[in-house]
Amino acid sequence: MSGNALLVALAEHARSSPDAVFLVEMDGRTTTYGALASLATRIAETLREFGVRPGDRVGVHLRKSVDAVAAICGILHAEGIYVPLDAAAPAARSASILVDCGARAVLTGGPSGEVLRQELAALDAAMQVHLLTGVGGGAGIQEWLVQSGVPVTGTQGGHPTSPDSAACILYTSGSTGGPKGVVIPVRAVESFVQWAIASFAPNPCDRVASHAPFHFDLSIFDLFVPMRAGASVLLLDDSVVANPRLLVECIASRGITIWYSTPTTLRMLLDHGRLEETPSGALRLVLFAGEVFPLPQLRRLTRAWPAPRYCNLYGPTETNVVTWFEVPPDFDFDREPSLPIGEPCAGVIVMVEADCGGMAGAGEVGELLICSPTTMTGYWNRPDLTARALQKDSQERLWYKTGDLASRDERGVLHFHGRRDRMIKRRGYRIELAEIEAALSHHPQLGAVVTSTRVDSRGQTVIVAHVTLRGAERPSVVDLKKYCSAHLPLWMIPDQFEVLHSFPMTSTGKVDLQSLGTRDPGS
Amino acid sequence: MDFTISAEQGELRRRILEFAREHLHDRAASPVPDTTFPRDHWRHCASLGILGLPFPEVYGGGGRDALTTVMALEALGQGCADNGLIFAIGAQMWSVQMPILRFGSEEQKHRYLPALCCGDLVGAHAMSEAQSGSDAFSISTSARRIGQGYRLNGTKVFVSQAPVADVFVVFARTGSDPGPMALSAFLVDRSTPGLVVGPPTPKLGLRTSPMASLTFDDCVIPESSRLNLEGRGAQIFRDSIEWERSCILAGAVGAMDRLLNDATKYARERHQFGRAIAAFGAIAHRLIDMKIHLEQARLALYRAAWEKEHGSDGTTLGAIAKLVVSEAYRRCAILAMEIRGGYGYTTDDVEREVRDALGSTIYSGTSDIQRLVIGRSLGLKLT
Amino acid sequence: MSDSAIVEAARQFILDRFLPGEAAGALTPTTPLISTGILDSLSVLELVTFLENRYSIEFAAHEVDRAHLDTLVAIESTVRQKGGRG
């Protein structure tokens, strides 16, 4: 197969156990290692034929499916860089991401694919749009291969890919108003996979639930760790990801052994999925990341399903997982203030930097800096942002400045204390409030927009948009939500809107965020 | 809040009560208490699905919730006077089947649960040692790693059903640390060489639930017999003891109901000074107190079972249920004896009921231990 | 024609819970709820819990979706189909 280190395992399993199941879709259709490997090879050949060269970006705008995984593997096989997109997000946002990364091509399908094609056409983007007739079970991509008419040559892929070449670009919310692309090199994925294999010992009998969408960094685990271990992956698509009862039922009925999601998802299973009344089946490992897991809910979860190991993984998209904490069986939920983010993963160095510079003492809160082989190359096309985030020390080591506040206790265990800036976490997604403000500021009836957040009685982060009006006409909340849904992904839509005559100001002439944030617009 | 008993729960209770009255009542009611384990009755209960009630159907269970299960077991205790049998059923369900369900591998669950639910296998739980009772985590039985397995050495005491059990949940020390983190749990088959079951331990009550000690003498077991990961023993024990505390006295609540019915009937029929003794305030108050104890115990039991499945405070409410029900059960049995006067003290049926009830404040943690658990939930630093 | 009691109850719940401050008229029986982001995945679950409790009905796992819940009209027909009475 190709020289891409990430696909070596796929080729090996395809050779040694071609009939072993790699992918399972919700409707029960399965795809073996052998089938997926040959599909990936053909996709790579076809992409090359279409002019995709090493280092070219190729968008994957497909719902979670065999087709999407095959596309990702095919792109990597062709030494391209895959750019996963949220097929449910507004087409305008996906189009702007594709334009930003200068994608050579995008693979898309379904009704949202047609909308994306039109959006790209309107932007005059010079990019191939490969529209799959159907998505699911690999049938759509097979059909596309046939339609493309590229002869099957079976040529083996070329030269080994450099570990520093990029594997994918994951777009996250940016503070300058638009999403920014985190460039993840092959080396970073490789290091992460090796750590996960050493820490969790996945084996061919494991069944990993892939809950996170492919544009979310958690999916790196879901795709590449089982692939390395020869395990199988249950692809949870849009029809189930938000359906807690189906998810809880399928954990036992589909024999899931490894689960990885945000705490929000696990809380959803607890609050709405009847988890406490449902057996956990063969589940042996529950990993969660992306935000803080409140202790009362974690306690409920570990009580209801005591058999699995529970691990809190920490790390921004820019570095993937860099510290982890396994919840010990005797964890004292009553006495501990919060769940620690634990200790650095093998090969990772972390430093808590005190405000005055230098290392923070035990218990002292400071910014968390990370030096890890799993770190990104930089932000796509944003040398300014990259230079601010990645800094070299005197020993030429590259450090990533997380913007997260942390402390290290006497035992050396790390604790998380929130953010330095206006980035927030909601449902595990990170959101720059500036991106919401930028989107809303184009609304014809709105003047200025400022957003704030608060935590409601259930511990959920609520985003409030405080707006002033341009004229006398006042848009309804329903109109505003509809407007947002056309310009922002669902998880970024504000929960509440408050119309003000003017914003409260601080003495220094800035908008008084503190006073905005403490009011309850509902009252 | 809704205390309505559903049609499903009512029907299950009625069915089990009828079954127990019809098929399980005779032997224990005989004047000389039988001390042998009633395997035929055990199998009969299993064939009705009683042992599998709260377990998923894929493992041979009935898929009922915890509250419905304790209601069913209460009906069983109400209809069947063989308290030892009911205790043995509860012990296996909560301290053998439950840890296998909640911590076992898929292979272990498929291997043991259907056989335990249908009565083909009898399981027992081995934790206590001569030097380690309430201080459970100080056990010294060791499991040393050898190649692909472990070598067990040590002695367990007070193992209910040991004389008749086919498989044991055994807790042993896999590490050298003195604390709870070095404990692990194992599923050990009776036929394993090096496992010796001692002679039955004579005891005051619950004699149809035979008890014995277990000795492990270089008993070698495969790694696949370990329940969950190494070091999870304390957690497994804590989890199963909570289920046990919350649910094992379901049968006792039924027994209290039965004692109250029998005592009321007796007091109405027995005449002294030309009147039914029920008309005397002293007797009537005893019956009234029995009723109050019964209803308080029932409430505590239902609340704990519900909490265990739906709530977050199963630890405290389980301890409260264990304490409230067992203390009420003892009082009820003694009140029933007093109502019968001299006949209660002779070795007729009520005398046996009193002996059976006395153990309830001791097994699954004494009332003192339950108070310790409850105190800790209040943030009291007790030792 | 006035809206049915089920539409009214669901409308009131959605307004109170997810659209505080909004005029009732902004939410018509055919306003899409899920596709417009008025209800996100967690809000949908809260709505289902509300409907289940209020009408003593039960949603099957696969029924918690856009087809059954995207508009007040769809919500009403789903509740009626399950035997819930307005």
Side-chain angles (χ1 to χ4, degrees):
Chain A
M1 207 151 175
S2 91
N4 195 316
L6 297 177
L7 298 179
V8 169
L10 178 64
E12 274 175 15
H13 295 305
R15 206 170 24 244
S16 63
S17 43
D19 297 330
V21 171
F22 177 31
L23 303 172
V24 183
E25 287 196 5
M26 277 311 287
D27 60 10
R29 282 184 286 188
T30 59
T31 302
T32 62
Y33 273 91
L36 204 275
S38 68
L39 207 47
T41 309
R42 288 187 56 204
I43 293 167
E45 285 169 0
T46 304
L47 287 173
R48 282 199 201 100
E49 194 63 31
F50 281 129
V52 172
R53 298 288 163 256
D56 278 354
R57 281 75 59 208
V58 180
V60 181
H61 184 260
L62 299 166
R63 72 167 171 84
K64 183 91 67 76
S65 56
V66 170
D67 309 69
V69 179
I72 288 170
C73 294
I75 294 163
L76 290 173
H77 192 348
E79 295 167 75
I81 301 168
Y82 78 91
V83 184
L85 298 155
D86 181 359
R93 190 173 195 266
S94 300
S96 79
I97 289 174
L98 287 165
V99 170
D100 181 73
C101 71
R104 162 85 57 187
V106 57
L107 291 158
T108 181
S112 65
E114 182 52 39
V115 179
L116 179 68
R117 199 172 61 91
Q118 289 167 11
E119 191 73 36
L120 287 166
L123 289 174
D124 246 347
M127 167 180 335
Q128 303 163 18
V129 180
H130 298 289
L131 199 59
L132 274 54
T133 46
V135 182
I141 204 126
Q142 297 253 25
E143 172 73 19
W144 172 72
L145 287 169
V146 172
Q147 296 287 324
S148 309
V150 175
V152 182
T153 59
T155 45
Q156 296 301 302
H159 23 275
T161 316
S162 152
D164 288 320
S165 61
C168 60
I169 303 178
L170 300 181
Y171 274 81
T172 73
S173 183
S175 57
T176 47
K180 59 185 176 192
V182 177
V183 182
I184 310 223
V186 168
R187 152 186 56 76
V189 177
E190 188 59 21
S191 300
F192 170 68
V193 169
Q194 276 170 18
W195 167 77
I197 297 281
S199 304
F200 307 120
N203 62 64
C205 298
D206 273 316
R207 215 166 230 228
V208 180
S210 156
H211 184 274
F214 290 141
H215 60 91
F216 196 15
D217 57 0
L218 272 67
S219 65
I220 301 254
F221 178 97
D222 305 339
L223 282 174
F224 296 104
V225 174
M227 190 194 287
R228 182 66 47 92
S232 61
V233 181
L234 177 66
L235 298 170
L236 300 167
D237 60 30
D238 292 343
S239 67
V240 283
V241 286
N243 192 320
R245 287 184 198 166
L246 274 184
L247 289 175
V248 168
E249 282 168 18
C250 92
I251 286 174
S253 68
R254 304 291 186 113
I256 298 302
T257 59
I258 299 177
W259 175 275
Y260 186 24
S261 76
T262 60
T264 295
T265 302
L266 288 162
R267 290 171 62 183
M268 176 177 84
L269 302 190
L270 274 171
D271 291 337
H272 302 283
R274 301 189 180 150
L275 181 144
E276 276 143 325
E277 300 147 53
T278 314
S280 60
L283 191 62
R284 69 171 184 91
L285 182 63
V286 177
L287 307 173
F288 47 87
E291 64 195 324
V292 176
F293 204 144
L295 290 184
Q297 280 90 355
L298 180 59
R299 180 218 294 259
R300 268 177 66 199
L301 177 63
T302 56
R303 288 288 171 101
W305 284 357
R309 296 166 67 186
Y310 290 87
C311 300
N312 182 21
L313 311 186
Y314 162 84
T317 306
E318 285 84 345
T319 65
N320 209 335
V321 176
V322 281
T323 77
W324 68 305
F325 179 78
E326 176 159 1
V327 184
D330 62 344
F331 185 75
D332 192 338
F333 286 94
D334 293 321
R335 304 236 165 108
E336 297 285 344
S338 65
L339 193 65
I341 54 173
E343 292 175 26
C345 303
V348 177
I349 317 171
V350 303
M351 181 166 88
V352 180
E353 190 183 47
D355 276 346
C356 54
M359 243 200 289
E364 197 184 333
V365 175
E367 185 178 358
L368 193 62
L369 307 189
I370 294 164
C371 175
S372 167
T374 56
T375 304
M376 65 168 178
T377 320
Y379 298 109
W380 181 261
N381 242 345
R382 293 303 304 262
D384 52 334
L385 295 179
T386 306
R388 243 180 285 156
L390 294 177
Q391 294 177 1
K392 272 199 178 126
D393 66 8
S394 56
Q395 297 167 54
E396 290 290 296
R397 291 182 307 192
L398 204 57
W399 290 85
Y400 172 69
K401 290 168 72 72
T402 61
D404 284 341
L405 297 172
S407 67
R408 210 193 270 266
D409 66 23
E410 321 76 52
R411 296 163 295 172
V413 177
L414 290 155
H415 299 261
F416 176 77
H417 297 280
R419 284 291 296 176
R420 278 223 116 119
D421 50 25
R422 295 188 67 213
M423 191 188 94
I424 61 154
K425 284 285 187 127
R426 181 161 173 262
R427 318 267 153 92
Y429 286 98
R430 69 189 225 193
I431 299 171
E432 289 286 359
L433 293 173
E435 196 178 344
I436 300 176
E437 290 162 4
L440 271 171
S441 67
H442 293 109
H443 189 287
Q445 289 164 336
L446 298 185
V449 180
V450 172
T451 50
S452 69
T453 61
R454 62 185 174 84
V455 176
D456 73 6
S457 58
R458 271 164 284 200
Q460 292 171 5
T461 301
V462 173
I463 301 175
V464 186
H466 312 270
V467 300
T468 59
L469 299 179
R470 187 158 291 194
E473 210 171 336
R474 181 190 167 125
S476 72
V477 179
V478 169
D479 287 341
L480 290 171
K481 287 216 175 192
K482 278 188 197 161
Y483 180 84
C484 287
S485 74
H487 295 86
L488 292 168
L490 279 179
W491 71 85
M492 279 201 197
I493 299 178
D495 300 281
Q496 296 178 357
F497 291 86
E498 183 191 28
V499 179
L500 297 167
H501 291 295
S502 60
F503 294 125
M505 293 290 176
T506 63
S507 57
T508 54
K510 290 179 181 161
V511 175
D512 186 350
L513 289 170
Q514 204 130 25
S515 116
L516 276 178
T518 51
R519 295 136 59 115
D520 182 358
S523 59
Chain B
M1 174 128 327
D2 183 358
F3 289 96
T4 317
I5 289 168
S6 73
E8 174 209 346
Q9 289 164 339
E11 167 60 19
L12 186 67
R13 266 164 50 146
R14 193 191 53 70
R15 209 153 47 83
I16 289 183
L17 185 61
E18 243 168 48
F19 156 77
R21 283 188 175 143
E22 197 169 322
H23 299 286
L24 305 177
H25 204 74
D26 303 343
R27 182 187 339 224
S30 66
V32 180
D34 194 344
T35 55
T36 56
F37 177 71
R39 198 178 274 268
D40 50 342
H41 286 179
W42 178 274
R43 279 192 178 279
H44 209 150
C45 289
S47 70
L48 225 75
I50 289 170
L51 281 149
L53 278 169
F55 297 89
E57 287 161 27
V58 287
Y59 307 121
R64 308 283 186 146
D65 59 73
L67 182 57
T68 304
T69 302
V70 296
M71 285 179 172
L73 292 172
E74 179 195 339
L76 191 69
Q78 191 184 343
C80 168
D82 183 352
N83 301 309
L85 171 67
I86 314 298
F87 170 77
I89 287 173
Q92 172 170 313
M93 286 170 71
W94 310 117
S95 72
V96 178
Q97 293 174 202
M98 206 43 116
I100 294 175
L101 173 73
R102 287 168 63 76
F103 292 91
S105 65
E106 249 348 69
E107 197 237 320
Q108 289 167 331
K109 284 187 260 191
H110 283 292
R111 178 166 169 204
Y112 289 107
L113 287 178
L116 287 163
C117 288
C118 78
D120 283 352
L121 290 182
V122 174
H125 175 99
M127 178 72 174
S128 293
E129 297 180 3
Q131 305 302 324
S132 157
S134 293
D135 182 11
F137 298 142
S138 68
I139 57 166
S140 66
T141 295
S142 64
R144 296 241 154 71
R145 269 220 180 249
I146 46 150
Q148 295 297 299
Y150 295 88
R151 178 184 286 132
L152 287 174
N153 276 296
T155 299
K156 297 286 177 185
V157 299
F158 306 151
V159 183
S160 292
Q161 278 67 256
V164 295
D166 306 289
V167 58
F168 299 89
V169 176
V170 178
F171 293 84
R173 200 161 280 287
T174 38
S176 49
D177 307 350
M181 294 301 288
L183 299 188
S184 301
F186 301 90
L187 294 167
V188 184
D189 292 327
R190 187 189 190 91
S191 56
T192 315
L195 164 60
V196 181
V197 180
T201 313
K203 52 181 178 161
L204 179 70
L206 299 177
R207 290 177 179 170
T208 52
S209 159
M211 179 191 269
S213 63
L214 283 189
T215 301
F216 300 95
D217 184 10
D218 283 339
C219 173
V220 175
I221 51 174
E223 188 172 358
S224 61
S225 67
R226 194 186 62 226
L227 201 50
N228 211 290
L229 304 173
E230 227 179 69
R232 288 288 195 100
Q235 192 199 1
I236 295 171
F237 177 76
R238 250 190 236 122
D239 187 81
S240 79
I241 195 94
E242 269 186 30
W243 279 100
E244 197 177 307
R245 284 173 182 156
S246 304
C247 305
I248 200 167
L249 286 166
V253 173
M256 288 159 76
D257 201 321
R258 189 185 64 242
L259 288 171
L260 173 60
N261 268 323
D262 291 352
T264 310
K265 190 160 168 271
Y266 179 86
R268 288 216 179 102
E269 286 167 2
R270 178 157 173 90
H271 285 70
Q272 295 287 288
F273 307 106
R275 286 194 282 174
I277 61 169
F280 296 106
I283 298 294
H285 281 181
R286 283 187 170 82
L287 293 169
I288 292 161
D289 284 352
M290 285 176 79
K291 175 68 176 170
I292 295 169
H293 286 314
L294 166 65
E295 293 300 340
Q296 283 178 332
R298 185 174 276 151
L299 203 54
L301 171 77
Y302 290 1
R303 180 76 179 84
W306 186 90
E307 189 74 18
K308 196 76 192 91
E309 205 157 56
H310 304 279
S312 57
D313 200 14
T315 314
T316 317
L317 288 163
I320 293 174
K322 169 67 188 38
L323 185 139
V324 168
V325 181
S326 61
E327 297 285 352
Y329 182 30
R330 268 169 93 136
R331 295 222 185 92
C332 265
I334 288 170
L335 289 168
M337 180 178 78
E338 289 172 354
I339 289 167
R340 286 195 184 227
Y343 292 106
Y345 190 67
T346 58
T347 53
D348 82 341
D349 205 32
V350 173
E351 172 265 351
R352 183 189 54 79
E353 294 276 8
V354 172
R355 286 190 290 101
D356 285 349
L358 288 177
S360 66
T361 56
I362 296 173
Y363 56 74
S364 306
T366 62
S367 291
D368 301 324
I369 290 291
Q370 308 308 337
R371 285 202 167 81
L372 201 67
V373 174
I374 299 160
R376 282 196 191 128
S377 77
L378 296 172
L380 308 177
K381 292 200 172 69
L382 299 166
T383 48
Chain C
M1 197 181 87
S2 73
D3 297 328
S4 86
I6 296 174
V7 166
E8 209 32 67
R11 189 206 314 261
Q12 207 51 53
F13 175 78
I14 293 167
L15 285 171
D16 290 349
R17 183 76 193 88
F18 309 115
L19 298 169
E22 178 64 304
L27 205 58
T28 72
T30 52
T31 307
L33 299 168
I34 299 175
S35 37
T36 51
I38 293 173
L39 298 183
D40 65 7
S41 54
L42 282 175
S43 326
V44 169
L45 298 169
E46 284 187 36
L47 173 67
V48 166
T49 307
F50 164 77
L51 296 171
E52 287 188 332
N53 292 339
R54 177 163 180 134
Y55 297 108
S56 302
I57 51 174
E58 180 131 342
F59 279 76
H62 67 270
E63 292 169 333
V64 183
D65 64 6
R66 204 175 279 193
H68 291 83
L69 298 162
D70 200 28
T71 62
L72 291 171
V73 172
I75 290 170
E76 176 182 17
S77 105
T78 306
V79 170
R80 283 201 193 284
Q81 232 167 46
K82 297 180 165 298
R85 281 160 209 283

